[in-house]
Each structure stands twice: as structure tokens, then as C-alpha cells.
Amino acid sequence: MTTRARRPRATTGRPGRRPARRPTRRPGRRPRGRAARRRAREQAATRLVVAGLLLVALVAVAREYPVTTLVLGVLAVAGATSVFLARTGRLHLPGPIGPRRDVTHTLAAYHHMTGTQFEHAVADLARRDPAVRSATVSGGANDRGLDVLVVLHDGRRVAVQCKRYAEGNRVGAPAIYTANGTYRDYHRCDHAVIVTTSRFTRDAEVANASLAAPLRLIDGRGLARWAGGGRPPWA
């Protein structure tokens, strides 16, 4: 009796399924921060080399032409100092020569203005002073004693109250009390000025003199002198 040999069973996986592949490791990328630091070091090294070369060249020129180098150095320091003083408001450089807008008015012209026009005229007058950074009209129904806000280059703030009155209508003591009570605490100003086309009453002058820090009172004559090129009230 003969027996048939058994065929070995094929050890195959499940039909239709591919054998799993082992994941391949990719080389890690260099962090961006490291590359940025390397570029920064290269740029710093380049600047250092350029600065060194300039210094060497400057020393060579100074040895060859000592007098010329000294003169140029003094001029450079003077120019840098002038620019610094001009930016800080301590030096006023002359502007370009050309036609300037005439903002000077006579006292009679001020009398013929409206109240708003007079405020703008005083602001224009303030801007003529090189020490003034800005002059802004802020008058209104509830101005609380501030018609023009003047800001100087040194940081001081000046509250200006404008009173366009006829010659017979003088500014009384209530205007002094109003300006004195608001220019520091409410408007955050360092000084206060009252400008009028008329004059101040005796009571107003006495009230102002009794203050610990009197206000600057500019009557019609003082306004005419200021408009004619005189010193501004905050000088």
C-alpha cells in the first residue's frame, strides 16, 4: 500500500496585505535658531573687520596729514554738536530764505477780529517764536480758561487765555481766578498767560499780584509790542 507524500503548507500572510516596511530614519534638520545665530556671528565678524580696516586707514591718514585730520575732526564734532542742539531745541538754525507769511497784526486789526479769529491770531503769533514746538487753538464754550495751548521745545506747557475786548471793557479779577484755578491741575500746564486787546482792572492786577505764582498779563500795549517783534510772554 503506497502513501502519497504530503505537500508542505505555504506559510503566506493574509491575502491582499503587503508586508510592513521598516521605517527609515531621516537625518535630523539643523534648528533654524542655530543657523540664525551663525549668520549673526558672521555679520558681526564682517562689521568688526570693516571697522578695523577703517580704523587702520584713519590712523594712516592721520599720520600722513595730521593737520588736515585735526581740522576735519573738529568740524565733524562741531557739526554733530549743532545737530544735537538743534534737535533738542537749544539751537535754532536759520531756515531757507523765502517769502514768509505775515502774521503780524496791528492792535486795530485785532480789535476788528472775532473771538475765534483772535485766538488763531495769537496762536500764529506764538508760532513765530523758535522756542515753540506747537501752538494749538482749543477754545470753546467749556474751555476752562484755555484758548491756546503752547508747548515749548524744552517741554513746558503754557495755557493762554485770549480776551478780545473793546477798549472800554477791561478784564476783571474773575478771569484771573479762573485761569489760576485750572491751568495746573486741569490742563497740566506749567505757566498761564492772559492776552487781551484791552486792559486789566485794578482788582485783576491786585488779585494776580497776590498769587504765589502770578500769571503773565498781556494788555493791548504788550500785545502790540509782542506782535512788533518783542519778547513772547514765556521768555
Side-chain angles (χ1 to χ4, degrees):
M1 184 176 179
T2 60
T3 59
R4 296 180 180 179
R6 295 182 179 179
R7 296 180 180 178
R9 294 181 179 180
T11 57
T12 58
R14 295 181 181 178
R17 186 174 183 181
R18 296 181 179 178
R21 295 181 180 179
R22 298 181 62 182
T24 57
R25 296 184 60 185
R26 297 181 179 178
R29 295 182 178 178
R30 177 174 288 184
R32 295 183 179 180
R34 188 177 303 176
R37 288 194 296 269
R38 185 185 63 182
R39 288 195 298 269
R41 287 195 298 267
E42 293 175 354
Q43 292 175 359
T46 303
R47 288 194 293 266
L48 184 61
V49 171
V50 172
L53 293 176
L54 290 177
L55 182 60
V56 172
L58 182 61
V59 171
V61 172
R63 289 180 178 179
E64 186 70 20
Y65 309 99
V67 178
T68 304
T69 304
L70 179 61
V71 172
L72 293 178
V74 171
L75 292 177
V77 172
T81 304
S82 301
V83 172
F84 173 76
L85 294 177
R87 288 186 175 181
T88 56
R90 301 176 184 178
L91 178 65
H92 305 290
L93 300 176
I97 300 177
R100 295 182 57 185
R101 184 166 57 95
D102 186 14
V103 295
T104 302
H105 302 281
T106 63
L107 187 58
Y110 287 125
H111 277 292
H112 287 85
M113 294 180 180
T114 64
T116 302
Q117 291 173 345
F118 181 57
E119 293 171 0
H120 284 275
V122 172
D124 289 339
L125 191 58
R127 297 188 190 101
R128 292 172 54 188
D129 184 11
V132 172
R133 178 185 302 171
S134 63
T136 308
V137 176
S138 59
N142 297 318
D143 55 16
R144 295 180 181 270
L146 176 64
D147 294 321
V148 178
L149 175 61
V150 176
V151 181
L152 306 180
H153 283 290
D154 59 9
R156 289 182 296 162
R157 294 163 55 91
V158 183
V160 181
Q161 187 175 10
C162 303
K163 297 291 186 182
R164 191 205 59 80
Y165 286 176
E167 180 62 26
N169 187 11
R170 300 186 180 184
V171 181
I176 306 296
Y177 297 137
T178 300
N180 182 68
T182 58
Y183 82 91
R184 282 187 300 263
D185 298 332
Y186 188 81
H187 298 299
R188 307 297 181 186
C189 292
D190 303 287
H191 307 284
V193 179
I194 300 180
V195 181
T196 182
T197 54
S198 180
R199 289 183 289 176
F200 295 90
T201 63
R202 178 61 180 171
D203 292 340
E205 294 175 350
V206 171
N208 186 58
S210 63
L211 299 177
L215 313 181
R216 185 66 189 272
L217 305 182
I218 305 297
D219 58 7
R221 293 183 179 180
L223 176 60
R225 287 193 296 268
W226 182 18
R231 297 179 61 185
W234 45 81

